[in-house]
């Protein structure tokens, strides 16, 4: 569009196409909004959707789920309890919202990575200033398939904590990378 648009995450889909997540100020309700594009294998747009409110919303991670839908995570200032919160959307294969939830406290919280886990739930990694010492800390949330929190943990808190990537390991644990 004619304004700021960007992508943060892309993954190949089971049909050989791609799903992209990012932000757009050219389309949607806010400046910016979550922006999800489903691309065909040769790169043309199959569908695209925006999600968000009147404030800033950024989608930082997307993955196709085992049911053919998608799980998206990022940051919202439009919804939730604090200045910024984690926002997770579970999308159906056509991009309609199956469920959405925010996670966070009264300060700055955000997600940069989400993946479906072997139990059908999700693992989310990002940062929090709402929990722990009050300084930015790595924040990991384990979600059930419906998005309710199974457990959460803040790590660090010396103004150096942000997780950018998380994956489930073969032994059932998780590996996290960030700064």
């Amino acid at each position: 569009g004619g304004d700021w648009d960007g992508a943060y995450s892309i993954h190949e889909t089971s049909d050989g196409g791609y799903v992209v997540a990012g932000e757009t100020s050219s389309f949607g309700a806010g400046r910016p909004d979550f922006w999800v594009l489903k691309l065909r294998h040769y790169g043309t747009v199959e569908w695209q959707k925006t999600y968000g409110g009147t404030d800033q919303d950024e989608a930082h991670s997307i993955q196709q789920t085992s049911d053919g839908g998608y799980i998206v995570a990022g940051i919202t200032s439009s919804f939730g309890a604090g200045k910024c919160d984690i926002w997770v959307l579970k999308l159906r294969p056509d991009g309609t919202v199956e469920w959405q939830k925010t996670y966070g406290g009264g300060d700055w919280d955000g997600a940069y990575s989400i993946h479906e886990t072997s139990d059908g739930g999700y693992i989310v990694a990002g940062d929090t200033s709402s929990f722990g010492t009050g300084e930015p800390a790595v924040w990991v949330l384990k979600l059930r398939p419906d998005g309710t929190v199974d457990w959460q943990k803040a790590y660090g808190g010396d103004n150096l904590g942000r997780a950018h990537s998380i994956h489930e390991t073969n032994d059932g644990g998780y590996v996290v990378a960030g700064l």
Side-chain angles (χ1 to χ4, degrees), residues 125-136:
D127 62 358
T128 181
S129 294
S130 297
F131 306 108
T133 66
E135 295 291 327

Side-chain angles (χ1 to χ4, degrees), residues 10 16-18 20 37-46:
I10 186 168
Y18 304 92
V20 180
L37 297 94
K38 172 62 176 80
L39 306 178
R40 293 179 183 91
H41 73 279
Y42 42 87
T44 60
V45 176
E46 186 174 325

Side-chain angles (χ1 to χ4, degrees), residues 3-80:
D3 212 331
W4 171 255
D5 307 304
Y8 294 106
S9 181
I10 186 168
H11 283 275
E12 188 172 11
T13 54
S14 58
D15 64 0
Y18 304 92
V19 65
V20 180
E23 63 180 286
T24 180
S25 293
S26 298
F27 313 105
R31 299 189 69 78
D33 280 334
F34 271 35
W35 193 21
V36 174
L37 297 94
K38 172 62 176 80
L39 306 178
R40 293 179 183 91
H41 73 279
Y42 42 87
T44 60
V45 176
E46 186 174 325
W47 56 259
Q48 61 178 313
K49 296 197 184 269
T50 61
Y51 313 87
T54 57
D55 247 329
Q56 185 167 348
D57 307 301
E58 304 169 5
H60 284 273
S61 183
I62 192 165
Q63 181 191 32
Q64 188 173 34
T65 53
S66 57
D67 64 1
Y70 306 95
I71 193 76
V72 188
I75 300 167
T76 182
S77 295
S78 297
F79 312 107

